[in-house]
């Protein structure tokens, strides 16, 4: 299996540079560059979640653990049903993640005050610290992107600012290639 760094390197070296893709259709979504926004959102998301992924890997946790920690930390006393509704995952998936987080001491559950069958979720001290570490790296990325001089120009500029600086040229080349391929197929 290739790592994201290997894939990114392959993308960076295998692309030719070219002009940014132009709007290609009378469709209003196309005229607004929605293809570019969607593509940039994929790259921005990759880097936005990549920061906490590296921290979580040291604990043997993944993104599902991150999402559970995030909401349990911000909404102490959240019920299982509420968390299922927020995350839109199966009860089986949530149970697996909760088993890990409870078993390793990051989340605690207590019975509800009026219905003892109800389970209320709380972060432990170590769970709150881990949630804060994960939030800190994501907040830092957002702050850097918002502080970038050209990030306020358009949604595309902001999303580009969310991408790792060393990866931006490769993303631009990739997106330019899509524009060139669309023109070549016409």
């Amino acid at each position: 299996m290739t790592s994201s760094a290997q894939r990114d390197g392959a993308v960076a070296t295998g692309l030719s540079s070219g002009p940014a893709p132009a709007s290609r259709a009378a469709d209003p979504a196309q005229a607004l560059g929605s293809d570019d926004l969607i593509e940039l959102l994929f790259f921005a998301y990759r880097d936005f979640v990549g920061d906490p992924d590296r921290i979580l890997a040291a604990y043997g946790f993944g993104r599902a653990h991150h999402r559970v920690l995030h909401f349990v930390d911000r909404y102490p006393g959240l019920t299982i049903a509420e968390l299922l509704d927020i995350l839109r995952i199966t009860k089986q998936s949530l149970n697996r993640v909760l088993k890990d987080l409870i078993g390793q001491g990051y989340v605690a559950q207590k019975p509800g005050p009026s219905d003892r069958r109800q389970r209320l979720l709380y972060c432990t001290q170590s769970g709150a610290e881990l949630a804060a570490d994960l939030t800190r790296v994501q907040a830092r990325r957002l702050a850097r992107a918002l502080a970038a001089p050209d990030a306020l120009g358009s949604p595309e500029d902001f999303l580009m600012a969310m991408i790792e600086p060393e990866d931006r040229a490769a993303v631009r080349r990739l997106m330019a290639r899509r524009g060139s391929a669309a023109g070549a197929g016409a």
Side-chain angles (χ1 to χ4, degrees):
M1 176 175 272
T2 60
S3 72
S4 62
Q6 290 169 322
R7 285 190 305 273
D8 294 345
V11 168
T13 57
L15 300 176
S16 63
S17 61
S23 299
R24 334 178 247 295
D27 177 358
Q30 290 289 345
L32 292 174
S34 67
D35 284 355
D36 291 348
L37 279 174
I38 291 167
E39 195 158 332
L40 286 170
L41 189 57
F42 278 112
F43 287 112
Y45 176 76
R46 173 198 67 187
D47 290 352
F48 182 70
V49 297
D51 297 329
D53 282 353
R54 286 183 281 282
I55 294 170
L56 290 162
Y59 295 85
F61 294 155
R63 290 183 187 159
H65 297 86
H66 181 191
R67 289 189 294 271
V68 168
L69 271 175
H70 174 86
F71 287 105
V72 170
D73 183 55
R74 275 140 192 89
Y75 302 97
L78 198 64
T79 67
I80 300 285
E82 290 170 324
L83 191 53
L84 285 168
D85 199 40
I86 290 167
L87 298 176
R88 296 185 179 171
I89 60 174
T90 65
K91 195 171 188 178
Q92 181 180 3
S93 295
L94 179 58
N95 284 338
R96 180 189 58 78
V97 171
L98 277 177
K99 181 181 177 191
D100 292 343
L101 292 170
I102 292 168
Q104 294 186 38
Y106 293 97
V107 170
Q109 59 183 351
K110 299 177 184 175
S114 58
D115 182 353
R116 308 293 290 166
R117 294 171 298 173
Q118 189 178 48
R119 293 185 289 161
L120 307 180
L121 301 171
Y122 299 88
C123 273
T124 63
Q125 179 66 33
S126 57
E129 289 169 4
L130 178 55
D133 289 344
L134 299 171
T135 297
R136 193 175 301 107
V137 296
Q138 289 184 310
R140 202 174 303 138
R141 179 173 296 278
L142 283 171
R144 277 194 314 261
L146 289 169
D150 54 346
L152 301 177
S154 70
E156 292 92 341
D157 293 335
F158 170 74
L159 290 171
M160 186 61 75
M162 287 285 291
I163 298 168
E164 286 292 331
E166 62 271 11
D167 293 337
R168 292 176 192 160
V171 168
R172 285 186 185 100
R173 287 191 302 270
L174 178 66
M175 292 175 71
R177 187 172 109 182
R178 186 191 74 229
S180 299

